[in-house]
Amino acid sequence: MTTEFLQEQDIQKSYRILNIGATTLIGASHNGDMDFMAAAWAGVCDFDKGYAVVEHTHYTAPLIQKSGRFVMCYPGAGIAKQVMKLGSISKNDDPQKMEHCDIELIEIPSFSMPVVKGCVAYLEYELIPEPNMAKNFDMLLGKCVKVVTDSRVYSNNHWHFDQADDSLRTLHYVAGGHFFTIGHELYLPEYGDD
């Protein structure tokens, strides 16, 4: 994916992106140090708020705490191997993790850090300080400040995967390298289309 398909979206409708529960890449950067990790436990809390479970021992956790920001990226199936590597290699053990995971980073205007190429949605959050949740549950909350999506699969605040190339379908992690990719739409028009 190139940046030509990226399109800014409504922050107040960012919950629609997170509602599908896709595997997420959580990233953070502080003082030139950056990390991305794969997370299956991330999602929506409110119209413009999200959460991510990031164990405090993960390299990414202190970067989030120090910077006060994090990004959530929804990878497409085209980078499934890189997602597994990002989830299997710790930067605590391998300082060259980012290079060893074979990812490419891209710059998106007004994002505070580069993001992983090959994702279909990018969201940036300001950390909402909740020390008890972070300490007791490793859960981090954030307020969405920027949303950009790949218009081939998400535009006008709606997903449309039916016409998408398989490499653009979101990943849904099961276990042990086993994913499902998102399927086909089932739409009930009597319930509205806003």
Side-chain angles (χ1 to χ4, degrees):
M1 179 194 72
T2 62
T3 57
E4 70 182 282
F5 296 107
L6 295 182
Q7 185 178 81
E8 207 167 319
Q9 299 296 327
D10 182 358
I11 290 170
Q12 290 299 314
K13 297 205 173 162
S14 61
Y15 69 93
R16 291 184 176 185
I17 295 169
L18 304 180
N19 267 349
I20 63 172
T23 298
T24 308
L25 296 177
I26 307 294
S29 176
H30 180 68
N31 285 346
D33 192 11
M34 179 184 358
D35 191 30
F36 279 92
M37 59 172 277
W41 298 339
V44 63
C45 293
D46 198 348
F47 294 102
D48 63 347
K49 294 175 184 69
Y51 77 90
V53 176
V54 180
E55 187 180 337
H56 64 279
T57 61
H58 284 289
Y59 194 92
T60 313
L63 294 177
I64 294 171
Q65 294 294 344
K66 290 173 187 172
S67 69
R69 297 180 92 79
F70 61 95
V71 296
M72 294 172 62
C73 309
Y74 270 16
I79 63 166
K81 287 183 180 179
Q82 289 89 337
V83 171
M84 283 302 298
K85 287 179 182 180
L86 286 168
S88 303
I89 300 171
S90 171
K91 201 167 177 183
N92 287 320
D93 302 323
D94 181 359
Q96 303 303 312
K97 170 187 175 176
M98 300 293 280
E99 293 81 10
H100 294 155
C101 288
D102 303 320
I103 60 168
E104 188 176 339
L105 299 175
I106 57 172
E107 298 276 348
I108 298 178
S110 75
F111 270 64
S112 66
M113 62 180 287
V115 293
V116 176
K117 183 177 180 180
C119 295
V120 296
Y122 302 94
L123 302 95
E124 182 159 1
Y125 291 85
E126 287 180 353
L127 185 64
I128 298 172
E130 288 288 348
N132 287 336
M133 290 184 75
K135 179 181 175 187
N136 296 325
F137 305 106
D138 291 322
M139 183 177 283
L140 304 174
L141 301 179
K143 178 175 175 45
C144 191
V145 295
K146 183 79 173 176
V147 182
V148 172
T149 62
D150 186 320
S151 60
R152 294 174 291 179
V153 291
Y154 189 95
S155 59
N156 300 317
N157 302 306
H158 289 280
W159 289 108
H160 41 269
F161 286 107
D162 275 1
Q163 306 303 316
D165 183 86
D166 285 346
S167 68
L168 298 174
R169 294 182 183 277
T170 53
L171 296 166
H172 300 261
Y173 187 64
V174 180
H178 181 198
F179 292 92
F180 283 99
T181 56
I182 200 154
H184 298 284
E185 179 181 29
L186 171 64
Y187 173 57
L188 305 175
E190 65 269 29
Y191 290 95
D193 184 27
D194 58 346

